[in-house]
Amino acid sequence: MYEGVSFIPLTWTDMLYLAPEFMLAAMFLFLVVLDLFLPKRVNRKFTGWLTLAGILASLLLVVLRMLDMNQGGASADSIHLLSNSYRIDDFASLLKIVFLTGTALIILLAIGSDRDEEEITDKSEYFYLVLPALMGAMMMASSGNLVTLYIGLELLSITSYVLVGIRRKSTLSAEAAFKYVITGGISSAMVLFGMSYIYGITGSVDLGVIGDALPRAMQDFKALAYVGFLFMIAGFGIKIAAAPFHAWAPDVYQGAPTPVSAFLAVIAKGAALAAIFRVMFSTSLFSAAGEAAKISNDLFLVLLVLAAAAMLVGTTAALKQRNVKRLLALSGVANAGYMLVPIGISITMVHSSNFSEFVYYLVAYLFMTIGAFAVFTVVSRASGHKELKSFAGMYYRAPWTAAAMVVFILSLSGLPISGGFFGKLFILLGAANAKAYWLVAVIVVSSVISYYFYFGIVRQMFMRSGEENNEVRISAATGVVIWLCAAATIALGIFPGPLMQWIDAIFSIKGDLMIMG
């Protein structure tokens, strides 16, 4: 049994490895103190720009560390901190780049739309509270043990609760925050309960030690192993809004400020998926043998069933949806299912590109979702409501913005030429290589169903005349977000190879995920 390890304090060198996280923490504390001492009459919009600067500085530090670790293109040895509690590896670095890039775009969107959020009385908190949430997501990507993972999860969750309810004058926002706190609390409790069982049967919270101890533990405590992992999967299933754990998402997305909804749809979802990926592969479940292999296969099958349910329920539930934010929430449910597929099909002799498929689709999903939320922000502002008919006649009022929205819709529905098309194609081919043909059928059927409600937006923009003749005004910051996302979505659709090849060149399952206990 696990006898514990002696505490190894952080050295100054370790501090440098943690520079991206410390950058966010320092900026957060600086903005809190600055906000406290500034007179109330001072406009707080500049805190958004300082928040963005902190995020970009952290992104630069992650990229520099990653380049330093991968000189010559060879996959680097992982850096272990605090007795392997925190890991600096290519898995974590790639996901941190995705999270930081997405959050930077979301902050820029918030800066461009803050004048429309009159119900937000605390403008500074609206911007800088994203920083600790982002730190939590980065911790989840770098966690080497269950305790660090849970701390990151709670840091992300608690800050997100506040952000969802930050429109204190809105009853809709208060209702959304209440629902999110309740479901989030249930999720955290389920994850913690599952972790306690894993600790109980293996005697450790370290993922490497757990991986070594699991084969014997699964023989002696088969039922408890099922309970531990299934509770963790269910808890993270709530966080990623995968059916049947998705009921909170439409209400929360509708009540939260639009940039916060985008944060939940991309960053919070991506962090929870990264946690599932890290736990399932770091504990070497895919390489289990004997009696343990049966349990391992059952757990991966549960993930695939969860993925299939999310794809079908998300797309069918969106068919009758008329509120755009609720529609995007249900779209996120379906996309959570797509991103679960590379995790659930595990690693086989003919398929080992799970991580590159996952990251590629996460990157495509980031740009198309944030871009769609950005377009929705300017359209809802012009029409004064958030229904699907707000897009009516948009082509005649703002043709270029309508064209950008078409790009995002093509990507969301998985049609050429877009990043979403190749993202779904890579995942579909991976499932086919693993001989999960029933899952291939589910992916195709759910994609076809999604055409109806995605192209309902196109129909409104090009085939309906708007009742309102209000001009669609786009702030500079929001325009930058829209066109950066549109350009990235098209680029991923035209040149899918370079990103996939880059990920495959620097990432290795053995070096970055198979933690040796």
Side-chain angles (χ1 to χ4, degrees), residues 35-44:
D35 184 35
L36 184 64
F37 286 100
L38 279 177
K40 290 186 177 180
R41 65 177 181 275
V42 175
N43 191 313
R44 296 298 203 268

Side-chain angles (χ1 to χ4, degrees), residues 129-154:
L129 277 176
V130 171
L131 294 175
L134 179 56
M135 285 176 59
M138 293 169 69
M139 286 181 66
M140 291 173 70
S142 277
S143 296
N145 72 28
L146 298 179
V147 174
T148 312
L149 176 59
Y150 188 76
I151 292 171
L153 174 66
E154 285 303 283

Side-chain angles (χ1 to χ4, degrees), residues 303-314:
L303 287 177
L304 293 182
V305 171
L306 195 64
M311 287 184 276
L312 293 175
V313 172

Side-chain angles (χ1 to χ4, degrees), residues 11 13 57 84 127 206-207 258 275 282 309 356 362 380 384 442 514:
T11 64
T13 304
N84 203 37
F127 294 115
D206 185 279
L207 291 174
T258 301
S282 289
S356 55
L362 181 60
S380 61
V442 171
M514 291 179 67

Side-chain angles (χ1 to χ4, degrees), residues 33 328 412:
V33 174
L328 289 173
L412 284 165

Side-chain angles (χ1 to χ4, degrees), residues 180-238:
Y180 194 34
V181 168
I182 297 298
T183 55
I186 294 171
S187 168
S188 298
M190 294 176 78
V191 169
L192 190 60
F193 186 72
M195 287 179 175
S196 70
Y197 272 77
I198 301 303
Y199 171 73
I201 65 175
T202 62
S204 177
V205 294
D206 185 279
L207 291 174
V209 178
I210 289 172
D212 292 339
L214 268 179
R216 178 176 176 81
M218 286 180 172
Q219 292 177 1
D220 299 336
F221 307 103
K222 180 178 179 180
L224 299 184
Y226 274 118
V227 171
F229 279 105
L230 289 177
F231 265 92
M232 287 178 63
I233 290 172
F236 284 121
I238 295 174

Side-chain angles (χ1 to χ4, degrees), residues 258-515:
T258 301
V260 176
S261 300
F263 184 86
L264 297 179
V266 178
I267 310 303
K269 191 187 298 290
L273 286 162
I276 299 173
F277 207 118
R278 174 78 84 177
V279 169
M280 298 298 287
F281 285 81
S282 289
T283 52
S284 301
L285 280 177
F286 61 88
S287 61
E291 182 65 22
K294 181 178 183 301
I295 302 174
S296 175
N297 291 336
D298 288 345
L299 294 174
F300 281 112
L301 179 60
V302 167
L303 287 177
L304 293 182
V305 171
L306 195 64
M311 287 184 276
L312 293 175
V313 172
T315 51
T316 53
L319 290 175
K320 293 185 178 181
Q321 192 56 249
R322 292 294 175 264
N323 182 284
V324 178
K325 289 182 81 173
R326 297 178 72 88
L327 188 150
L328 289 173
L330 293 168
S331 168
V333 173
N335 280 289
Y338 296 128
M339 286 184 279
L340 275 174
V341 173
I343 307 174
I345 58 178
S346 185
I347 295 176
T348 65
M349 292 296 292
V350 294
H351 180 258
S352 60
S353 58
N354 307 60
F355 183 69
S356 55
E357 293 167 11
F358 168 70
V359 172
Y360 185 94
Y361 194 79
L362 181 60
V363 171
Y365 175 70
L366 180 155
F367 288 117
M368 62 193 182
T369 301
I370 294 177
F373 272 109
V375 173
F376 165 73
T377 299
V378 298
V379 171
S380 61
R381 177 198 309 158
S383 62
H385 59 83
K386 303 181 187 325
E387 300 301 308
L388 196 59
K389 61 183 180 181
S390 63
F391 284 90
M394 183 179 160
Y395 170 72
Y396 304 102
R397 293 182 288 156
W400 287 107
T401 307
M405 191 63 183
V406 170
V407 170
F408 302 136
I409 288 170
L410 287 174
S411 190
L412 284 165
S413 56
L415 291 174
I417 305 173
S418 66
F421 168 74
F422 282 104
K424 286 185 180 179
L425 180 63
F426 293 144
I427 290 172
L428 188 146
L429 292 176
N433 286 338
K435 300 189 185 307
Y437 300 119
W438 66 275
L439 197 62
V440 171
V442 171
I443 294 172
V444 172
V445 169
S446 62
S447 297
V448 172
I449 294 172
S450 71
Y451 297 160
Y452 178 82
F453 60 83
Y454 284 136
F455 283 90
I457 299 175
V458 176
R459 186 166 58 248
Q460 290 287 340
M461 291 191 298
F462 290 88
M463 302 179 185
R464 299 287 185 272
S465 58
E467 296 178 2
E468 306 90 353
N469 292 317
N470 298 332
E471 182 183 356
V472 177
R473 296 182 179 179
I474 305 174
S475 65
T478 305
V480 168
V481 173
I482 292 172
W483 289 108
L484 277 177
C485 290
T489 300
I490 294 172
L492 287 171
I494 297 176
F495 307 107
L499 178 59
M500 291 286 284
Q501 292 168 4
W502 180 61
I503 296 170
D504 287 333
I506 64 173
F507 174 80
S508 71
I509 292 283
K510 183 177 180 180
D512 295 311
L513 283 180
M514 291 179 67
I515 303 173

